[in-house]
Amino acid sequence: MDMLRLLFNAITVVFIAATMFAAGLGATLPALRAIFAGPLSPLLALLANLVVIPLLGWGVAALFGLPAAAFIAMVLTASSPGGPFGAKLAMVQKGDVVAGAATQVLLAAVGSVTFGLTANAILTAAGVGAGISLDVAALVRTVAVLQLVPFAIGLITRHYAPATARSWHPAAARVSNVTFLIVLVGMLAGNWRDVVALIGSRTLLAGFVLAGAAFAIGTVLATGSPARRTTMGGVAAVRNAGPALAAAGIAFGDEPAVLGALAAVLLSGLAAALPIAAILSRRRAGDTT
């Protein structure tokens, strides 16, 4: 079992790095400058992901009357922006991949600092859990190594060796696609007992509602073309599992109830976001024919 877990963790690392490397290979410095030229777009993304969606997670958890473990999982998930699946959803929906990847990296970097403070404040205000204390420096290092560095390497390659970047991009995208499927299967296989145990409860539905509402909020609180706006919606819908899992281990001692609820919320969130991205992809494919 330990060997399988190590293998799954290794594949997850490859998926995150390959996704961000592929996004960097497909980006250009002028495109990035255009995205961040005005402060409105990044500020709206920060507002949606660092303020509105954490409060939404609190509200959904309270609305559904979730038990303590599921309530904690919802708050941890909602407070953790910048999941690498966001860049993947931009690819799936044929959206603005450069804007999605750049925004996702920004959110992951800022969110690694704000996550502990946000989750602790909400859990304290709600009177749930014992509060959390996270190693912020470790979270920042994790984000830098797995997300910022591969994206930067891909971007530099595209800038200084564009022909090489174009030739590498298909292979990097294939690795991202294959490992994405493996990670999805692994999450289901590794946590199926916990997820099955929650069938019939309100936790799966709450996670589904949170992701769908986050997609809508991210789309509304965005600027630019429809493709860019829905890309921001996908980035908002998919939260960053890393800090949430770290909190479950550090603050709650890997309590099985919290881990099971966390897996259920993350998987139900993907179940909400992926069909939306697939529908958008089909519509855009039809528009180009």
Side-chain angles (χ1 to χ4, degrees):
M1 184 61 70
D2 289 339
M3 200 57 151
L4 288 176
R5 179 170 295 181
L6 287 173
L7 179 60
F8 176 75
N9 290 340
I11 293 172
T12 302
V13 167
V14 172
F15 159 68
I16 295 172
T19 299
M20 299 314 301
F21 181 58
L25 290 174
T28 62
L29 290 176
L32 289 178
R33 283 195 293 268
I35 292 167
F36 295 118
L40 183 58
S41 180
L43 285 177
L44 286 174
L46 290 171
L47 173 65
N49 286 275
L50 301 182
V51 179
V52 178
I53 293 174
L55 293 176
L56 173 68
W58 181 8
V60 171
L63 177 65
F64 281 84
L66 298 181
F71 196 112
I72 290 167
M74 282 287 290
V75 171
L76 294 180
T77 301
S79 301
S80 184
F85 282 106
K88 188 67 202 174
L89 282 182
M91 298 176 188
V92 172
Q93 68 169 275
K94 296 182 174 65
D96 191 333
V97 177
V98 174
T103 304
Q104 181 257 309
V105 170
L106 170 67
L107 291 172
V110 177
S112 66
V113 178
T114 63
F115 165 73
L117 299 173
T118 303
N120 187 55
I122 292 176
L123 291 175
T124 300
V128 178
I132 59 177
S133 177
L134 296 176
D135 187 344
V136 172
L139 290 175
V140 172
R141 286 195 299 270
T142 300
V143 169
V145 171
L146 293 184
Q147 300 185 45
L148 295 177
V149 170
F151 183 76
I153 292 173
L155 182 65
I156 291 170
T157 304
R158 174 62 184 266
H159 183 70
Y160 290 104
T164 300
R166 283 191 291 269
S167 66
W168 286 359
H169 188 267
R174 281 194 296 272
V175 172
S176 172
N177 291 335
V178 171
T179 52
F180 173 64
L181 293 175
I182 295 173
V183 168
L184 282 181
V185 172
M187 287 184 70
L188 286 170
N191 299 283
W192 70 269
R193 289 187 180 88
D194 298 314
V195 175
V196 168
L198 290 169
I199 291 176
S201 72
R202 294 181 293 272
T203 303
L204 290 171
L205 180 59
F208 192 91
V209 170
L210 173 64
F215 204 117
I217 289 169
T219 301
V220 171
L221 291 179
T223 60
S225 66
R228 178 173 294 183
R229 292 168 69 91
T230 58
T231 296
M232 295 301 103
V235 169
V238 182
R239 314 306 284 172
N240 197 345
L245 289 171
I250 296 170
F252 301 104
D254 283 329
E255 183 179 337
V258 174
L259 286 175
L262 190 57
V265 171
L266 290 169
L267 289 170
S268 60
L270 285 175
L274 280 172
I276 297 173
I279 291 170
L280 290 170
S281 175
R282 285 197 295 269
R283 288 183 177 176
R284 284 165 186 156
D287 291 341
T288 58
T289 56

